[in-house]
Amino acid sequence: MSNKGEKETRIYIYIEDVVFVAWNKDRGTVLKRLRGKKSRQKLADEIAARGGECSHQNLKKLEYGESESVSLKVLEAICTALEISVSNFLSTVEVTN
């Protein structure tokens, strides 16, 4: 956050250039909330059915914030199975012309 009168600098990164996403307990809480009452095993099975890889043990580590990062590939697989956008986990800024 910038102070009054100071210019703010923003950096934009192409999602294709991202390999890992920093993870924390807050993101784990979001994952758990979005999973809802669906079991971790059921979500893991749905991820696998869509060609992704993420075990129920890995989902548990993510939900409890025990992982420092997650690969974008795994995050995309989770999001696809939950039928949500990756932007639910990433801080994004909408750029308009």
Side-chain angles (χ1 to χ4, degrees), residues 10 16 18 36 46-47 51 71 75-76 87:
R10 292 184 181 173
E16 294 85 13
V18 176
E46 290 176 5
I47 291 167
S71 73
L75 184 57
E76 287 175 331
S87 65

Side-chain angles (χ1 to χ4, degrees), residues 10 13-14 25:
R10 292 184 181 173
I13 300 171
Y14 290 103
K25 287 184 179 184

Side-chain angles (χ1 to χ4, degrees), residues 48-95:
R50 290 174 168 81
E53 292 183 26
C54 188
S55 68
H56 72 281
Q57 295 95 338
N58 193 25
L59 288 169
K60 181 179 179 180
K61 286 182 180 181
L62 290 171
E63 287 183 359
Y64 283 91
E66 295 173 358
S67 296
E68 291 183 9
S69 65
V70 63
S71 73
L72 186 60
K73 183 177 178 179
V74 169
L75 184 57
E76 287 175 331
I78 292 169
C79 290
T80 298
L82 290 172
E83 298 179 351
I84 57 172
S85 170
V86 173
S87 65
N88 285 301
F89 291 95
L90 302 178
S91 299
T92 58
V93 177
E94 184 176 349
V95 178

Side-chain angles (χ1 to χ4, degrees), residues 11-43:
I11 299 173
Y12 300 95
I13 300 171
Y14 290 103
I15 194 76
E16 294 85 13
D17 294 336
V18 176
V19 177
F20 289 95
V21 174
W23 200 261
N24 57 37
K25 287 184 179 184
D26 292 337
R27 288 193 171 137
T29 300
V30 170
L31 173 57
K32 188 173 182 177
R33 180 180 52 79
L34 292 170
R35 180 172 58 84
K37 294 185 179 190
K38 184 182 299 187
S39 73
R40 282 187 211 96
Q41 184 60 56
K42 176 137 177 78
L43 180 57

